[in-house]
Amino acid sequence: LEVKGQTIFFDYSDSPVFADEPQKYNYYFKRSLRETDVKDNIYPLNFQVNYSYKSLSFLARLGYKQLTNKYNRIEIIRALDYFNSFTNSSHNAMDIRKFPKNVTDQGGKILFYTRLWDPNNHPDEAEKERRRQQNEFRIEACRIIKKNFKNADVGLFPDKLAMNMASDILLDEKKTSRKEYFRLLKQCDIGIADDGLKDTPGWKIGEYLLFGKSVVTTPLNVAINDFHEHINYEKLSTRNSFIEVPEKIEFLLNERKYLEVGKNNLEWSSEYLHPKNYFKRILDKTIRNLK
């Protein structure tokens, strides 16, 4: 992005490794940014969330080359799927205008929909081990929540790997579409999250925040603006400490603290994730420095 002669680079990589050289730009905003890398012209993009806004109007503004580009095919189909009838991630289902404007009490319901990653599908031994740990946490977290809390909806996407490893906690695939997931998310209060690819946060935690939910998560290993433990989330001690999940949930259930945290997160997401302020924050920083 170019603003008044200044260049701004947006790095949305899952990895903490830089996609380009920050010194080539005036401002470098990065998702999955380590705290130690926040310096000079490098700033965090915070959490990543997949949402849309007036997708049909957006399509109408695209030129012929963009509409016929084979690399855009899937997203164009999702944008055209206005009635959520033939894709599992319709842009209409993800329309930011449909997201909640306030926090409502759903009785302390807990949500953790997740999936497994096959270690054998990656050549790197370190990545294989990371996936093994990730899978163990996700399986055991679902099981321990299911065992300890009746008011919970948890489980694994029912692919072949999950069927082989944890057939007792498989989800109904019909409930895993984006439309159904967001419908369920509105009916919950506490969302469980863990690291996604490259040991960095995935979309899940950002969705929790935009829907005004409280969060229990594994340690956050990236820089996030003004996002604090006990105010915005409860943190497990390690990547593998699924045994601590019930204790963190009980803390949020006590005196319905999840409502306070949910309100904090709705306010935080409005300032940092909602499109009305997402780019405004970035532009204010760059333009202010020009004055």
Side-chain angles (χ1 to χ4, degrees):
L1 181 66
E2 293 186 0
V3 180
K4 296 185 176 181
Q6 303 288 296
T7 55
I8 307 171
F9 188 86
F10 296 86
D11 180 348
Y12 287 98
S13 170
D14 293 321
S15 171
V17 177
F18 288 92
D20 205 345
E21 299 174 9
Q23 61 268 27
K24 291 167 57 177
Y25 307 93
N26 297 108
Y27 301 90
Y28 195 104
F29 286 85
K30 178 171 175 54
R31 175 196 177 192
S32 304
L33 179 65
R34 300 298 191 203
E35 290 278 3
T36 53
D37 289 326
V38 180
K39 56 188 175 183
D40 303 326
N41 64 328
I42 304 169
Y43 304 93
L45 274 171
N46 298 309
F47 296 112
Q48 170 71 359
V49 187
N50 194 19
Y51 53 66
S52 70
Y53 179 77
K54 295 185 178 181
S55 56
L56 294 180
S57 296
F58 174 70
L59 285 183
R61 293 172 180 268
L62 293 180
Y64 177 78
K65 288 185 178 180
Q66 292 293 336
L67 291 172
T68 57
N69 188 320
K70 65 179 181 180
Y71 296 108
N72 296 340
R73 187 177 302 152
I74 292 176
E75 296 305 327
I76 288 174
I77 291 173
R78 287 173 174 168
L80 290 171
D81 186 17
Y82 189 79
F83 295 104
N84 312 290
S85 56
F86 53 90
T87 71
N88 64 355
S89 295
S90 164
H91 288 186
N92 183 55
M94 299 182 289
D95 193 323
I96 191 71
R97 295 172 297 174
K98 297 180 179 179
F99 288 15
K101 303 294 190 299
N102 49 60
V103 174
T104 56
D105 191 351
Q106 302 296 325
K109 189 170 183 177
I110 304 147
L111 177 67
F112 188 35
Y113 273 26
T114 188
R115 69 178 304 148
L116 305 182
W117 292 91
D118 192 341
N120 295 324
N121 288 345
H122 203 283
D124 181 66
E125 285 301 320
E127 176 63 13
K128 287 178 184 289
E129 178 58 26
R130 188 198 66 76
R131 291 188 180 197
R132 282 191 284 267
Q133 292 186 32
Q134 182 184 65
N135 289 345
E136 179 187 19
F137 175 86
R138 293 179 175 186
I139 291 171
E140 297 305 329
C142 286
R143 284 174 173 164
I144 202 168
I145 294 169
K146 189 174 182 179
K147 178 181 178 180
N148 287 275
F149 301 95
K150 292 183 178 180
N151 194 15
D153 207 328
V154 301
L156 305 175
F157 182 80
D159 58 14
K160 185 176 180 180
L161 180 62
M163 291 177 186
N164 290 333
M165 294 186 66
S167 60
D168 56 312
I169 49 172
L170 299 180
L171 296 169
D172 179 350
E173 190 167 355
K174 294 179 181 178
K175 296 173 64 176
T176 62
S177 71
R178 188 63 56 177
K179 177 183 179 182
E180 287 302 308
Y181 179 72
F182 280 177
R183 181 187 63 80
L184 179 62
L185 185 51
K186 290 179 181 179
Q187 300 170 359
C188 295
D189 300 291
I190 301 170
I192 312 301
D194 70 324
D195 278 337
L197 298 173
K198 310 296 183 182
D199 285 330
T200 60
W203 291 348
K204 186 186 305 295
I205 191 168
E207 291 169 347
Y208 289 157
L209 305 178
L210 274 170
F211 275 71
K213 308 304 174 183
S214 58
V215 175
V216 175
T217 181
T218 52
L220 297 174
N221 300 310
V222 295
I224 305 293
N225 291 121
D226 301 324
F227 197 74
H228 305 290
E229 187 178 4
H230 306 313
I231 297 175
N232 303 102
Y233 68 101
E234 292 301 310
K235 182 181 70 175
L236 305 176
S237 60
T238 70
R239 178 70 180 82
N240 308 95
S241 52
F242 60 84
I243 196 71
E244 298 173 5
V245 172
E247 175 189 348
K248 300 299 182 181
I249 292 175
E250 290 288 1
F251 175 79
L252 291 171
L253 290 174
N254 185 38
E255 298 184 350
R256 300 192 298 177
K257 185 174 176 61
Y258 58 82
L259 290 177
E260 175 189 339
V261 177
K263 290 176 183 177
N264 292 341
N265 286 340
L266 194 64
E267 292 174 1
W268 187 93
S269 66
S270 176
E271 181 174 355
Y272 288 101
L273 294 182
H274 196 287
K276 68 181 179 181
N277 287 325
Y278 183 87
F279 282 106
K280 182 179 184 298
R281 177 179 65 88
I282 292 170
L283 293 175
D284 283 350
K285 180 182 292 292
T286 57
I287 293 173
R288 183 172 64 248
N289 288 345
L290 290 174
K291 294 180 179 179

